[in-house]
């Protein structure tokens, strides 16, 4: 709703006075900051074929012919999400009555199925279905979405120019985005938008990146230096934000940095990763947080500058889908999360991770979403600022750290307490948390190998 005339002027004056008063507040112990909140959901991966049937190879297309392990009303660990699971997640979020300013939704609506089982039309229809489902539960909430690598057909092959999918999705997202954001999105699947809140002193800029353009399996962008000119665009937006003293949240689907479960492997191509790390270091004072999905797991990263000083906090949210492939030992329980931020400067204060114990939900035929952990309490840190996360990373690195065991259990969203991550597994995790560029990550891996 736009504010007009005198009321808008009075509100602006009131906020200006509040902000100058807050900025002039004396140093020393201050009460906890005024807190805002937002939801983060990712990787819904709806499988419309999911149904309970005696033939376990036919429960869902996403099991690709494998026997579903223990299918129930809320899904199975070898299947993508039944609609009932997705509905239960949004119903829980709505019923929790949390006061939130907005939601971020970091992509991937269609299921993991062979290419021939989907089409452009089907992919568009599933993204439309998920968009309207979110709007149904949260009709008045500002949502900032990002495209995932499965939000296209064929999957991963997102183009560098306008396309049928970009156009259709832009139409679905019109209720949430400005005309300018929609026009940018139609051209390359990314956008930026200001979030103006009557509770905050300054607007927050959201930058929704199409990191799928950099994703290793995307054959469209091979040998393109700056796909869809997104790097140049990003640099320009951040430069302007820097001059205007804005704060920025970066959202995207495929994260930067190294995968915590695969040695020496970035999710996006190494060249693109180096470019993004460079840009994010350059503008780290502007960026107050980065949020991704894609891996289906729960992890953090701390961006260090060239002097190894922590300058940015990054978060990868776990998936709503519980799917895993037959050969994977672990999966994840479905998860959604709530962030708390400082209304004054948008710095991140805490996160509350919620999850559904899938085995229990299926057994009881009811979805009892519950709190898995509160990050500051679980790891004994002050807030989610880069310095605090860096301290946490140091604690996790300690040999035989029980805190790391907790971190790994959260990484797989309490899937199985008996699964341990030691030696090489832990090295990958620890190095991925702290080192996002090639040279520092490689040094970390080699150093850890030498120590052992």
């Amino acid at each position: 709703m736009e504010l007009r005339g005198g009321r808008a002027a009075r509100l602006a004056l009131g906020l200006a006075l509040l902000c100058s008063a807050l900025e002039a507040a004396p140093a020393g112990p201050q009460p906890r900051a005024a807190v805002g909140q937002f939801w983060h959901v990712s990787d819904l991966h709806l499988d419309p074929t999911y149904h309970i049937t005696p033939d376990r190879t036919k429960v869902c297309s996403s099991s690709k012919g494998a026997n579903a392990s223990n299918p129930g009303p809320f899904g199975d660990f070898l299947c993508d999400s039944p609609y009932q699971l997705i509905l239960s997640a949004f119903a829980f979020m709505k019923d929790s009555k949390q006061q939130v300013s907005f939601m971020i939704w970091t992509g991937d609506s269609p299921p993991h199925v062979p290419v021939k089982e989907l089409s452009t039309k089907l992919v568009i229809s599933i993204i439309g279905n998920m968009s309207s489902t979110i709007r149904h539960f949260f009709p008045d909430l500002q949502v900032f979405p990002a495209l995932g690598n499965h939000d296209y057909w064929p999957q991963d092959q997102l183009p560098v120019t306008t396309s049928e999918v970009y156009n259709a999705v832009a139409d679905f997202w019109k209720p949430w985005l400005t005309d300018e954001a929609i026009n940018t999105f139609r051209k390359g699947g990314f956008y930026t938008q200001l979030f103006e809140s009557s509770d905050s002193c300054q607007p927050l800029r959201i930058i929704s990146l199409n990191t799928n353009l950099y994703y290793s399996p995307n054959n469209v962008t091979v040998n393109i230096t700056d796909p869809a000119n997104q790097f140049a665009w990003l640099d320009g937006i951040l430069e302007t934000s820097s001059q205007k003293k804005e704060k920025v949240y970066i959202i995207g689907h495929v994260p930067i940095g190294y995968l915590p479960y695969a040695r020496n492997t970035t999710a996006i191509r190494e060249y693109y990763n180096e470019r993004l790390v460079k840009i994010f270091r350059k503008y780290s004072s502007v960026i107050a947080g980065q949020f991704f999905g894609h891996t289906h797991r729960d992890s953090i990263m701390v961006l260090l500058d060239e002097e190894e000083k922590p300058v940015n906090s990054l978060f990868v949210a776990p998936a709503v889908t519980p799917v895993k492939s037959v050969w994977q030992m672990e999966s994840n329980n479905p998860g959604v999360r709530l962030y708390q931020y400082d209304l004054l400067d948008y710095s991140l204060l805490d996160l509350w991770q919620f999850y559904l114990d899938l085995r229990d939900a299926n057994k009881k035929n009811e979805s009892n979403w519950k709190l898995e952990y509160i990050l500051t309490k679980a790891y004994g840190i002050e807030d989610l600022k880069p310095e605090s996360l860096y301290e946490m990373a140091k604690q996790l690195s300690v040999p035989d750290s029980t805190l790391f065991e907790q971190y790994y259990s959260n990484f797989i969203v309490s899937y199985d307490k008996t699964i341990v991550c030691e030696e090489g597994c832990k090295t990958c995790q620890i190095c991925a948390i702290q080192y996002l560029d090639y040279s520092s990550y490689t040094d970390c891996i080699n150093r850890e190998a030498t120590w052992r």
Side-chain angles (χ1 to χ4, degrees), residues 403-422:
L403 217 51
F404 179 77
E405 287 171 19
Q406 180 62 54
Y407 180 80
Y408 192 76
S409 174
N410 294 339
F411 176 73
I412 55 178
V413 198
S414 301
Y415 172 73
D416 181 349
K417 296 277 190 226
T418 65
I419 298 177
V420 293
C421 175
E422 297 168 323

Side-chain angles (χ1 to χ4, degrees), residues 157-441:
Q157 308 308 313
L158 285 83
V160 297
T161 51
T162 192
S163 67
E164 193 179 342
V165 171
Y166 291 171
N167 276 324
V169 174
D171 291 338
F172 297 143
W173 293 351
K174 265 184 181 169
W176 297 324
L177 303 180
T178 61
D179 290 348
E180 187 187 355
I182 288 291
N183 291 337
T184 311
F185 183 86
R186 286 186 195 280
K187 293 180 199 135
F190 52 87
Y191 65 87
T192 183
Q193 183 163 317
L194 273 183
F195 171 69
E196 306 207 40
S197 159
S198 55
D199 299 322
S200 295
C201 300
Q202 62 189 112
L204 169 72
R205 180 168 293 284
I206 302 287
I207 298 178
S208 178
L209 292 178
N210 185 355
T211 52
N212 313 290
L213 297 175
Y214 312 134
Y215 188 39
S216 306
N218 188 341
N219 300 319
V220 178
T221 57
V222 172
N223 298 330
I224 301 180
T225 312
D226 186 2
N229 294 318
Q230 188 173 220
F231 288 132
W233 173 85
L234 173 63
D235 199 278
I237 298 291
L238 287 169
E239 181 57 45
T240 306
S241 290
S242 178
Q243 287 165 10
K244 290 184 174 175
K245 298 196 164 31
E246 293 173 345
K247 286 297 177 187
V248 171
Y249 284 168
I250 302 278
I251 70 171
H253 180 67
V254 185
I256 66 162
Y258 283 77
L259 294 173
Y261 48 80
R263 183 172 294 233
N264 297 321
T265 310
T266 47
I268 61 176
R269 290 191 186 106
E270 229 157 57
Y271 161 77
Y272 297 138
N273 188 60
E274 294 295 308
R275 286 228 19 201
L276 279 176
V277 165
K278 198 173 173 187
I279 292 171
F280 294 149
R281 277 178 174 156
K282 181 179 171 186
Y283 296 106
S284 59
S285 62
V286 180
I287 300 166
Q290 300 193 41
F291 311 91
F292 302 95
H294 180 66
T295 66
H296 297 198
R297 304 289 185 267
D298 176 346
S299 63
I300 64 154
M301 289 180 276
V302 190
L303 179 64
L304 308 179
D305 66 12
E306 282 87 348
E307 277 74 56
E308 293 215 359
K309 185 170 137 279
V311 292
N312 243 203
S313 302
L314 299 89
F315 301 88
V316 180
V320 170
T321 184
V323 76
K324 74 179 190 74
S325 51
V326 183
W327 49 267
Q328 278 179 298
M329 184 169 68
E330 76 287 323
S331 191
N332 61 284
N333 276 307
V336 297
R337 65 170 46 165
L338 181 77
Y339 289 93
Q340 297 182 324
Y341 65 94
D342 185 327
L343 283 170
L344 187 58
D345 63 1
Y346 295 99
S347 62
L348 294 160
L349 300 173
D350 219 336
L351 82 78
W352 294 53
Q353 180 64 46
F354 299 96
Y355 81 113
L356 180 69
D357 182 329
L358 185 61
R359 298 174 186 93
D360 183 63
N362 281 338
K363 195 163 65 188
K364 293 179 177 161
N365 197 15
E366 62 174 13
S367 63
N368 177 26
W369 286 78
K370 44 188 191 267
L371 179 67
E372 185 186 24
Y373 69 90
I374 300 170
L375 196 136
T376 56
K377 290 191 168 49
Y379 301 104
I381 55 176
E382 183 81 11
D383 50 39
L384 272 53
K385 291 176 188 172
E387 299 78 10
S388 302
L389 289 192
Y390 193 47
E391 280 311 303
M392 171 183 159
K394 292 271 174 272
Q395 294 296 315
L396 296 179
S397 309
V398 172
D400 305 317
S401 161
T402 52
L403 217 51
F404 179 77
E405 287 171 19
Q406 180 62 54
Y407 180 80
Y408 192 76
S409 174
N410 294 339
F411 176 73
I412 55 178
V413 198
S414 301
Y415 172 73
D416 181 349
K417 296 277 190 226
T418 65
I419 298 177
V420 293
C421 175
E422 297 168 323
E423 299 189 347
C425 171
K426 183 176 176 180
T427 296
C428 282
Q429 290 276 346
I430 296 299
C431 292
I433 291 172
Q434 300 175 76
Y435 302 106
L436 280 64
D437 63 292
Y438 175 79
S439 67
S440 67
Y441 175 85

Side-chain angles (χ1 to χ4, degrees), residues 1-12 15 196-198:
M1 184 179 77
E2 292 293 317
L3 292 161
R4 297 278 180 251
R7 186 168 163 233
R10 283 196 303 279
L11 178 72
L15 268 176
E196 306 207 40
S197 159
S198 55

Side-chain angles (χ1 to χ4, degrees), residues 55-69 76 78-79 324-326:
D55 183 349
R56 292 215 169 166
T57 65
K58 301 274 195 301
V59 170
C60 61
S61 289
S62 40
S63 78
K64 302 182 178 75
N67 278 320
S69 55
D76 183 83
L78 285 170
C79 296
K324 74 179 190 74
S325 51
V326 183

